[in-house]
């Protein structure tokens, strides 16, 4: 059983397009996150949601919009894709009381051409 | 400005020996320090944590040391095994919202 799953695993698209990445967790966690790992391998938090409520919103362009339809899902929608958006995007989840132990999905490699 | 730094991008160790991975930080206002391990094409997995009020935590072959005066954290793996070969990230946890600040990672290679 996959604990945190992301789709798609790979995404290749052109500049200016709009795309979405889906994330689902079956761990019963109440907090979910999106992280971005850039070409230099830095892993940085973008957003966190607790019980469908936005908690963390780092300095991310407005083109990125997370959406949490329920506690088990946190999707990431990106408008007007740019070359600099190329990265690996990781979804993660945790219990609110033990947020030091976050469970990560396998990542989505986004390539913008 | 990088709050959490791992100055060694790579480390090679012989099987059975000790691996020591290091991490420096600038911001002392945190709740926990963590180590995560990452294999290629997979997401990071939690390895071990240490509270800001402790100076050592041990879990099997893994021990984390926290030196608050030096703002330095280290992970010791004894004995090292080839399956330990991976990228290791240290991270600070700011408990509000579960925000993790990661270092840039150290790639450990354990040779048989």
């Amino acid at each position: 059983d996959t604990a945190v799953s992301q789709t798609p695993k790979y995404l290749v698209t052109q500049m200016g397009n709009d795309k979405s990445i889906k994330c689902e967790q079956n761990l019963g966690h109440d907090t979910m996150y999106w992280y971005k790992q850039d070409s230099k391998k830095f892993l940085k938090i973008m957003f966190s949601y607790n019980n469908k409520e936005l908690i963390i919103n780092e300095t991310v362009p407005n083109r990125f919009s997370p959406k949490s339809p329920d506690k088990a899902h946190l999707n990431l929608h990106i408008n007007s894709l740019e070359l600099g958006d190329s990265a690996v995007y990781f979804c993660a989840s945790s219990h609110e009381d033990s947020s030091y132990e976050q469970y990560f999905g396998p990542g989505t490699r986004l390539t913008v051409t | 400005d990088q709050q959490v730094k791992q100055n060694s991008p790579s480390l090679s160790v012989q099987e059975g020996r000790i691996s020591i991975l290091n991490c420096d930080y600038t911001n002392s206002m945190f709740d926990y320090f963590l180590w995560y391990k990452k294999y290629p094409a997979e997401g990071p997995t939690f390895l071990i944590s240490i509270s800001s009020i402790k100076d050592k935590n041990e879990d099997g072959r893994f021990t984390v040391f926290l030196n608050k005066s030096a703002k330095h954290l280290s992970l010791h793996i004894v004995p090292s095994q080839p399956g330990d070969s991976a990228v290791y990230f240290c991270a600070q946890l700011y408990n509000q919202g579960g925000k993790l600040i990661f270092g840039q990672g150290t790639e450990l290679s354990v040779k048989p």
Side-chain angles (χ1 to χ4, degrees):
Chain A
D1 278 348
T2 304
V4 182
S5 60
Q6 295 179 227
T7 53
K9 193 167 176 64
Y10 300 96
L11 184 54
V12 181
T13 188
Q14 291 185 326
M15 280 196 309
N17 284 347
D18 303 339
K19 290 293 178 186
S20 292
I21 306 172
K22 294 186 177 181
C23 177
E24 177 179 1
Q25 55 94 4
N26 62 6
L27 298 167
H29 289 161
D30 45 26
T31 306
M32 296 185 72
Y33 314 82
W34 277 108
Y35 288 85
K36 177 182 179 181
Q37 186 177 35
D38 61 22
S39 57
K40 294 183 180 177
K41 306 299 183 188
F42 289 110
L43 195 61
K44 292 184 178 177
I45 190 164
M46 301 172 69
F47 303 101
S48 81
Y49 267 75
N50 178 264
N51 286 316
K52 303 194 297 174
E53 184 181 340
L54 181 65
I55 302 297
I56 294 174
N57 184 350
E58 289 294 290
T59 50
V60 177
N62 290 338
R63 299 181 295 103
F64 290 79
S65 54
K67 289 209 171 29
S68 181
D70 55 58
K71 284 193 333 180
H73 296 84
L74 181 61
N75 304 323
L76 184 65
H77 189 76
I78 316 171
N79 289 329
S80 304
L81 278 155
E82 301 177 357
L83 292 176
D85 297 333
S86 295
V88 181
Y89 292 84
F90 290 98
C91 177
S93 71
S94 73
H95 282 298
E96 183 182 14
D97 295 342
S98 54
S99 53
Y100 57 86
E101 187 171 356
Q102 296 181 16
Y103 290 76
F104 283 76
T108 296
R109 181 174 292 277
L110 171 66
T111 304
V112 182
T113 61
Chain B
D1 192 25
Q2 198 69 7
Q3 284 184 307
V4 179
K5 292 184 182 179
Q6 294 175 256
N7 292 317
S8 298
S10 62
L11 175 67
S12 184
V13 171
Q14 205 68 31
E15 181 179 6
R17 299 287 188 101
I18 184 171
S19 295
I20 300 177
L21 297 105
N22 294 301
C23 183
D24 296 305
Y25 62 93
T26 56
N27 191 337
S28 298
M29 300 298 291
F30 65 94
D31 297 297
Y32 283 89
F33 249 114
L34 311 312
W35 283 96
Y36 276 76
K37 177 179 176 179
K38 185 182 180 304
Y39 292 115
E42 294 183 12
T45 55
F46 171 75
L47 187 60
I48 191 170
S49 66
I50 187 166
S51 164
S52 60
I53 61 173
K54 295 192 173 180
D55 53 22
K56 178 182 174 182
N57 188 26
E58 193 171 347
D59 183 3
R61 296 185 297 114
F62 302 91
T63 303
V64 56
F65 296 93
L66 177 59
N67 183 336
K68 288 185 280 291
S69 60
K71 295 188 178 180
H72 182 81
L73 182 81
S74 63
L75 174 68
H76 292 207
I77 307 173
V78 182
S80 302
Q81 299 173 354
D84 296 330
S85 298
V87 177
Y88 289 78
F89 291 94
C90 66
Q92 274 184 330
L93 174 71
Y94 295 84
N95 223 358
Q96 185 141 8
K99 178 177 175 178
L100 285 177
I101 305 291
F102 283 92
Q104 60 268 55
T106 296
E107 184 169 8
L108 174 65
S109 176
V110 180
K111 300 193 183 305

